[in-house]
């Protein structure tokens, strides 16, 4: 049963990322399906950081639906809407990565939690939080954050023997390159 859920997460995740590359607003609904199935897979494998991250993705999907609807109203038809990176975004994001990563690592190394890969799980968690938030804001640089986060995710999942999730994160890495190029080529700052 768990293998089918992992496969479902892989399929919906790939469709989600294709939709993200082209900034299709319905991608957020696929993110909900992918995140919920990934929560189940991560929980059964005691990857608590990954489970918490996918819970965060669920919340970000609702935020993304709301924000992108507002941005679409201000952007040109058939163009990708891109927001300029705010001055506060970088220092706040770096603080979240450092402080949040340290806190998550501390939590995941507790004996009661017994996460098998606390560093990989915590760094993937915080980078993905920032990437997801930046995606809801339509910052083009979210692709770089995702590239780094997904690279850690590949190592995390393959080291756990979760090949479906590892393949999904490899697809995510490739999509970061394609997504950045597409957003750069077809994007309009709003």
């Amino acid at each position: 049963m768990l293998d089918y859920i992992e496969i479902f997460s892989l399929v919906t995740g790939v469709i989600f990322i294709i939709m993200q590359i082209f900034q299709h607003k319905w991608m957020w609904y696929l993110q909900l399906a992918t995140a919920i199935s990934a929560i189940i897979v991560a929980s059964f494998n005691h990857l608590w950081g990954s489970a918490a991250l996918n819970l965060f993705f669920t919340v970000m999907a609702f935020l993304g639906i709301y924000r992108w609807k507002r941005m679409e109203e201000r952007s040109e038809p058939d163009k990708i809407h891109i927001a300029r990176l705010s001055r506060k975004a970088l220092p706040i994001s770096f603080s979240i990565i450092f402080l949040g990563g340290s806190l998550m690592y501390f939590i995941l190394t507790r004996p009661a939690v017994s996460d098998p890969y606390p560093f990989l799980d915590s760094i993937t968690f915080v980078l993905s939080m920032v990437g997801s938030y930046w995606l809801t804001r339509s910052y083009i640089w979210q692709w770089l954050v995702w590239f780094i986060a997904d690279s850690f995710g590949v190592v995390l999942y393959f080291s756990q023997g979760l090949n479906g999730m590892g393949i999904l994160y490899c697809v995510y890495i490739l999509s970061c390159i394609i997504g950045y190029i597409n957003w750069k080529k077809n994007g309009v700052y709003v």
Side-chain angles (χ1 to χ4, degrees), residues 41-49 51 108 113-117 121 160:
V41 171
S43 296
F44 275 98
N45 288 282
H46 305 285
L47 296 171
W48 305 115
L108 295 178
V113 177
S114 69
D115 188 301
Y117 296 96
D121 214 355
Q160 274 295 97

Side-chain angles (χ1 to χ4, degrees), residues 145-175:
V145 175
W146 281 121
F147 183 88
I148 297 166
D150 295 339
S151 298
F152 283 111
V154 165
V155 176
L156 174 67
Y157 285 116
F158 278 127
S159 63
Q160 274 295 97
L162 298 170
N163 297 332
M165 296 299 288
I167 292 168
L168 176 60
Y169 274 70
C170 286
V171 171
Y172 284 167
I173 289 172
L174 179 61
S175 72

Side-chain angles (χ1 to χ4, degrees), residues 16-17 19-23 27-28 68 80-83 85 90 93 127-150 172 175-181 183-184:
F16 161 77
I17 200 67
M19 294 174 93
Q20 181 184 358
I21 289 169
F22 297 102
Q23 203 179 67
M27 70 174 218
W28 294 111
W68 279 28
I80 293 174
H81 50 80
I82 301 172
L85 195 61
L90 279 177
S93 296
L127 286 169
S128 297
M129 280 180 63
V130 170
S132 184
Y133 182 75
W134 282 20
L135 175 58
T136 69
R137 304 291 298 184
S138 284
Y139 296 149
I140 194 168
W141 295 108
Q142 53 100 11
W143 291 109
L144 176 62
V145 175
W146 281 121
F147 183 88
I148 297 166
D150 295 339
Y172 284 167
S175 72
C176 291
I177 298 164
I178 296 167
Y180 176 79
I181 292 168
W183 280 37
K184 189 79 171 164

Side-chain angles (χ1 to χ4, degrees), residues 48-57 100-101 104 108 119-131 149 152 156:
W48 305 115
S50 183
L53 175 62
N54 281 285
L55 182 61
F56 180 79
F57 286 164
M104 182 58 79
L108 295 178
F119 174 75
L120 289 173
D121 214 355
S122 61
I123 195 69
T124 303
F125 176 85
V126 294
L127 286 169
S128 297
M129 280 180 63
V130 170
F152 283 111
L156 174 67

